[in-house]
């Protein structure tokens, strides 16, 4: 059974960089046909897709966040990571990592981690 | 691209059926048979309930069904149970020329 687990700082100061890692177990991140995604959910609000990365390293980012987002993959550790720069209070959210098929359908999710942006 | 449109809330009594709509455009819902639905209980991660418009992952009860007509997809839950009370989100593939996946705004299902 595939499992995903987010980790990283739960408190980030404004203007700094948010960094999260998603560890994948029970399967290989190098499996073809899937992308590895980051999605966020501000408190009391809906889901927002941040971006995703294929095992090849190809990335796709939400245009609204593209200038601030970097998603990378570490195949040796079977994990992928998110960096979001120049954060503001509007970036406060629960951040989820997930696996998606070739057309963006998300079949496995991490439990989510709350990141608060505050000084 | 704009988010898909869902009703803010729907409700039903135990045993009844409810339908949640998800309206997009010909560039997303209407253009591809790749609509998925997610159930989210408070404080939990979303769970895939429907994919490819109408397919159910293993373990999802057959009380949950999906369909599509034109630019609108629908999730129908029959034989409502108390544990079905949750938020539901639709999601659609929108092509490969831009960021190609879009979510709906979410619908709160209340079981009366």
């Amino acid at each position: 059974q595939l499992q995903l687990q987010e980790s990283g700082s739960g408190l980030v100061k404004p203007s700094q960089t948010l960094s999260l890692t998603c560890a994948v177990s029970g399967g290989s991140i190098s499996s073809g046909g899937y992308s590895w995604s980051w999605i966020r959910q501000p408190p009391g609000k809906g889901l927002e897709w941040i971006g995703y990365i294929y095992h090849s390293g190809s990335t796709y980012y939400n245009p609204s966040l593209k200038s601030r987002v970097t998603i990378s993959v570490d195949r040796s550790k079977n994990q992928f990571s998110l960096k979001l720069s120049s954060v503001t209070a509007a970036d406060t959210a629960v951040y989820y990592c997930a696996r998606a098929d070739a057309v963006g359908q998300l079949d496995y999710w991490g439990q989510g981690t709350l990141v608060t942006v505050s000084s | 691209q704009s988010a898909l449109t869902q009703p803010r809330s729907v409700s039903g009594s135990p045993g009844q059926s409810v339908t949640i709509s998800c309206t997009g455009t010909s560039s997303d819902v209407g253009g591809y048979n790749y609509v998925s639905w997610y159930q989210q209980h408070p404080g939990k991660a979303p769970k895939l309930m429907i994919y490819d418009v109408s397919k159910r992952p293993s373990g999802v009860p057959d009380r949950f069904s999906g369909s599509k007509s034109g630019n609108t997809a629908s999730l129908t839950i029959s034989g409502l149970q108390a544990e079905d009370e949750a938020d539901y989100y639709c999601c659609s593939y929108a092509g490969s020329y831009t960021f190609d996946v879009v979510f709906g705004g979410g619908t709160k299902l209340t079981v009366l």
Side-chain angles (χ1 to χ4, degrees):
Chain A
Q1 175 81 347
L2 194 72
Q3 292 186 317
L4 292 83
Q5 178 68 56
E6 305 90 349
S7 62
S9 176
L11 180 63
V12 182
K13 289 181 168 50
S15 80
Q16 293 191 342
T17 297
L18 177 161
S19 295
L20 296 173
T21 295
C22 181
V24 179
S25 59
S28 174
I29 203 167
S30 297
S31 299
Y34 298 105
S35 66
W36 303 91
S37 306
W38 288 99
I39 298 103
R40 70 180 183 178
Q41 185 172 36
K45 297 187 177 180
L47 300 169
E48 179 182 33
W49 205 304
I50 300 170
Y52 54 90
I53 188 167
Y54 285 101
H55 68 90
S56 63
S58 299
T59 53
Y60 294 85
Y61 301 138
N62 187 323
S64 68
L65 298 169
K66 186 175 183 177
S67 63
R68 300 193 291 128
V69 174
T70 302
I71 297 176
S72 59
V73 64
D74 186 336
R75 296 177 198 82
S76 67
K77 294 182 178 179
N78 216 37
Q79 64 186 32
F80 61 107
S81 299
L82 168 71
K83 291 188 184 299
L84 181 66
S85 64
S86 304
V87 297
T88 69
D91 295 309
T92 293
V94 175
Y95 286 75
Y96 295 100
C97 60
R99 187 183 81 167
D101 66 10
V103 288
Q105 297 173 128
L106 300 143
D107 55 358
Y108 289 94
W109 294 67
Q111 65 185 23
T113 187
L114 174 64
V115 178
T116 302
V117 178
S118 174
S119 55
Chain B
Q1 63 276 48
S2 301
L4 307 177
T5 300
Q6 298 180 233
R8 293 290 296 271
S9 63
V10 297
S11 63
S13 299
Q16 290 186 332
S17 294
V18 295
T19 297
I20 301 171
S21 62
C22 170
T23 301
T25 69
S26 59
S27 296
D28 37 63
V29 175
Y32 305 93
N33 288 322
Y34 298 126
V35 176
S36 51
W37 289 90
Y38 303 87
Q39 177 192 65
Q40 186 180 36
H41 288 110
K44 300 295 187 182
K47 174 186 176 183
L48 178 66
M49 303 300 284
I50 296 287
Y51 68 100
D52 290 356
V53 175
S54 60
K55 297 178 181 177
R56 283 187 307 277
S58 174
V60 173
D62 59 6
R63 302 185 294 103
F64 291 84
S65 62
S67 62
K68 191 186 83 167
S69 177
N71 295 337
T72 298
S74 298
L75 172 70
T76 297
I77 309 170
S78 59
L80 266 179
Q81 299 181 4
E83 59 262 35
D84 298 334
E85 184 163 298
D87 293 324
Y88 291 84
Y89 293 90
C90 63
C91 183
S92 176
Y93 181 68
S96 58
Y97 295 104
T98 60
F99 188 76
D100 53 8
V101 183
V102 61
F103 279 112
T107 298
K108 170 65 177 178
L109 168 62
T110 301
V111 180
L112 302 171

